Amino acid sequence: MEREVTASAPLFQTHGTKGRTLYKLYASFILTCILFILFYRLTHIPLEHYSLTFAWISLFASELWFSFYWILTQTVRWNPIYHQTFKERLLQRHGNELPMVDVFICTADPVAEPPSLVMSTVLSMMAYDYPKEKLSVYLSDDAGSELTFYALCEACKFAKHWIPFCNKFDVEPRSPNAFFCKIDFVVTQGNVPQELKKHQGFYKWSSNMTSSNHDAIIQILVDGNDENSVDIEKKLLPRVIYMAREKRPRHHHNFKAGSMNALLRVSSKISNGPIILNVDCDMYSNNSQSIKDALCFFLDEEKGHETGFVQYPQYFDNISKNDLYDNSLNVINKVRMFSLAFN
């Protein structure tokens, strides 16, 4: 009986917030005041003087726009909802048949986006608590930088020690910074020393390559088919692919959208995962269970077909307490866009 209940139970549930009566009364009062103000503006337009009429209509247009924005935000604040996932049910039901997941990471400039920062993101993705044979990490380097490729080679070496360490001590978040001093030193030199070019993929780079004019480069650094594809405990590592799409000065590359299109074409020939996780290169994952949380929405038998994408909020950990300009985006993530869902 317990097994039957588990098989039919949902993978996630949604519930509203209790105690919203006071806020609804407050919002209703504000709405009434807004309607009275708009009615007054419409019925008392000063038509005697052109300048007054123009100023009055301008104020009315401004108030009308802010009223529309306020009413629009109430669709989220009126009845906030919470989602709760059940990852244990996901594993019981789909443990051996979890889908392939392709992680897309895009970077474009080794100066503005330092390789050590990008590798912090890459390693946090490689260390996801997810079957490694079903996980592929793609790094799209629009600059075609030898420095970024070198950093990725070093990150793959470090992952052999880092991932077992995370699993053993249940590390969260799984984004290292300590070993990056070596990568930072090479980046400050501006080129990769010859003695560090141990990977055969370095022959793809030539002296006349630039960030806006280079051939396509695709290198599979970890593939699962050789001795370099396992960690120090002989456990499989996730697949890791470096990609620099072809770029020419006279052809528009369409920025990140172009990178995503190229990643889709490349991944379809290598891993072809039905689930794609798209992350910014400077936003590491702070939860190793994130993929399983998302799959609870996608694989739910009853409501899974209603979900097109799952979005995670971006939080910043380097903002001071005196954040006058809301660089941490707390207002957006915790107030304005809180519990927003598109149906």
Side-chain angles (χ1 to χ4, degrees):
M1 177 64 69
E2 182 179 354
R3 184 173 299 178
E4 293 179 358
V5 172
T6 302
S8 60
L11 296 180
F12 74 94
Q13 69 178 12
T14 302
H15 55 87
T17 306
K18 297 181 179 179
R20 298 295 292 175
T21 303
L22 184 61
Y23 178 81
K24 291 180 179 180
L25 290 174
Y26 162 77
S28 300
F29 173 74
I30 295 298
L31 178 61
T32 302
C33 294
I34 289 175
L35 294 176
F36 274 117
I37 291 173
L38 296 179
F39 177 78
Y40 176 81
R41 290 292 186 194
L42 279 174
T43 55
H44 292 76
I45 301 177
L47 301 177
E48 296 82 5
H49 302 284
Y50 174 78
S51 59
L52 290 178
T53 303
F54 178 78
W56 190 274
I57 294 177
S58 299
L59 285 173
F60 174 68
S62 300
E63 292 167 346
L64 188 64
W65 169 251
F66 283 111
S67 298
F68 169 76
Y69 173 78
W70 183 86
I71 294 173
L72 192 65
T73 59
Q74 297 314 303
T75 59
V76 182
R77 301 177 188 176
W78 187 262
N79 187 28
I81 57 175
Y82 294 88
H83 299 295
Q84 180 183 4
T85 59
F86 303 102
K87 292 182 284 292
E88 66 283 354
R89 297 178 186 174
L90 173 73
L91 297 178
Q92 291 174 3
R93 207 172 306 174
H94 303 281
N96 298 324
E97 299 179 355
L98 289 172
M100 296 283 292
V101 176
D102 292 342
V103 181
F104 290 173
I105 306 171
C106 298
T107 184
D109 187 346
V111 177
E113 299 165 345
S116 60
L117 183 70
V118 179
M119 294 312 116
S120 178
T121 299
V122 170
L123 285 165
S124 70
M125 302 297 157
M126 293 180 67
Y128 268 133
D129 184 10
Y130 197 74
K132 298 300 185 282
E133 68 276 8
K134 296 179 180 291
L135 183 62
S136 300
V137 179
Y138 292 82
L139 177 62
S140 172
D141 177 19
D142 254 10
S145 172
E146 189 180 48
L147 297 171
T148 302
F149 180 74
Y150 159 74
L152 186 60
C153 291
E154 292 296 320
C156 290
K157 296 177 186 177
F158 182 72
K160 297 180 180 182
H161 302 268
W162 177 245
I163 294 177
F165 176 79
C166 292
N167 293 333
K168 182 178 180 179
F169 296 100
D170 197 21
V171 176
E172 293 288 354
R174 301 186 173 185
S175 174
N177 291 310
F179 95 105
F180 291 143
C181 58
K182 178 182 177 181
I183 294 177
D184 289 335
F185 174 76
V186 173
V187 173
T188 56
Q189 301 302 308
N191 65 301
V192 182
Q194 195 64 36
E195 63 271 15
L196 296 179
K197 296 182 179 181
K198 299 179 181 180
H199 194 279
Q200 61 180 2
F202 280 104
Y203 79 90
K204 292 283 189 178
W205 275 264
S206 60
S207 58
N208 59 350
M209 288 179 59
T210 66
S211 61
S212 60
N213 187 15
H214 57 79
D215 295 331
I217 302 174
I218 300 175
Q219 291 288 317
I220 301 177
L221 300 182
V222 181
D223 190 22
N225 296 323
D226 53 43
E227 60 181 8
N228 293 323
S229 301
V230 295
D231 59 28
I232 58 175
E233 296 181 352
K234 305 302 180 182
K235 295 182 180 179
L236 191 66
L237 291 172
R239 186 184 283 110
V240 179
I241 300 94
Y242 172 90
M243 184 200 79
R245 59 187 171 125
E246 181 182 5
K247 292 178 68 177
R248 302 301 177 195
R250 296 183 179 180
H251 294 82
H252 202 293
H253 53 82
N254 295 308
F255 304 102
K256 188 173 182 178
S259 295
M260 292 296 293
N261 284 333
L263 283 168
L264 285 171
R265 292 194 295 270
V266 171
S267 65
S268 66
K269 300 297 183 181
I270 298 177
S271 54
N272 199 28
I275 304 296
I276 295 174
L277 174 59
N278 177 28
V279 299
D280 290 342
C281 66
D282 58 347
M283 291 289 180
Y284 63 81
S285 172
N286 61 1
N287 186 351
S288 63
Q289 304 291 321
S290 298
I291 293 179
K292 294 178 182 178
D293 282 321
L295 290 180
C296 286
F297 294 96
F298 289 124
L299 300 182
D300 184 78
E301 286 80 359
E302 182 178 352
K303 296 184 178 180
H305 66 282
E306 300 177 0
T307 303
F309 68 93
V310 176
Q311 182 170 348
Y312 300 101
Q314 293 183 340
Y315 291 108
F316 300 84
D317 58 7
N318 59 345
I319 304 297
S320 66
K321 295 181 179 180
N322 300 321
D323 182 17
L324 300 178
Y325 302 102
D326 192 36
N327 294 312
S328 58
L329 302 182
N330 287 328
V331 172
I332 293 177
N333 291 325
K334 298 181 179 180
V335 180
R336 294 183 179 178
M337 306 296 287
F338 176 71
S339 73
L340 182 64
F342 297 95
N343 297 321

